[in-house]
Amino acid sequence: MAALRDEQLHALALQRGAGAIRVLTQRYNQRLYRVCWGILRNEADAEEAVQDAYVKAFTASASFEGHASYATWLTRIAINEALERRRAAQRRARLLEREGITEMAEYRARLADGPISHGSPEEIAARAEVAQRLQAAVARLPEMYRTVFVLRDVEGVSVEEAAAALGVPEQTVKTRLFRARRRLQQILEPDLRAALQEAFPFGGERCAALTEKVLARLSPRQEGEKS
């Protein structure tokens, strides 16, 4: 199953094939979570946006037409879900404001179930501290810079793919990335950039749990499914 191409797995996922869904979600959970976090800056909201993106992708049989790569298509769905969630939150905030109600929320970022780190306890603690500082710094970037930074420097996607996912020209991606990096350099020491892969973890139990939630939302399975 893991050897199948994305398009083949997608066809099976449309039939509620649990095996295909598991492979696709494990393949893309981290990327989609990171991108949604870049827009929403809230872990719970980002996870829910990723779930919604998968449900939409796996129930829209005619949506993927191959004009872009499957990864780009799926990323675009996740971005749209996150943006809609953010717009809804802004509408609620405006309504509360009009009614004279002040809503307060606290966000706590934590690193959990991330990739296994090797080294001495001191080295592991230092990397965790660096990752926390980096994540906090990225959260301070304006949304249009933050999303491009996550796609390019954290996920490592190409300029072309980032532009397609965001629906902007490639030059805009380059400009926003340049400005994002410049702003981060004003906050962080140069050596912190080496810790990018320690930040925004979404692996282990959290990754598996999200996959199970997606499967639950797409149940009951159809007869004749392939898993």
Side-chain angles (χ1 to χ4, degrees), residues 111 125-136 188 191-196 198-199:
L111 298 176
R127 282 198 295 270
E129 175 63 23
V130 163
Q132 289 175 334
R133 290 175 60 191
L134 179 59
Q135 185 165 329
L188 301 167
D191 61 337
L192 293 188
R193 291 185 60 195
L196 278 175
E198 296 284 348

Side-chain angles (χ1 to χ4, degrees), residues 1-6 9 22-29:
M1 184 71 71
L4 294 178
R5 292 182 292 106
D6 288 343
L9 291 167
R22 289 182 193 281
V23 173
L24 283 172
T25 53
Q26 288 166 6
R27 227 173 245 185
Y28 290 108
N29 272 349

Side-chain angles (χ1 to χ4, degrees), residues 101-115:
I101 301 173
T102 303
E103 183 181 64
M104 299 295 291
E106 288 187 1
Y107 300 104
R108 292 184 301 171
R110 63 184 175 85
L111 298 176
D113 301 316

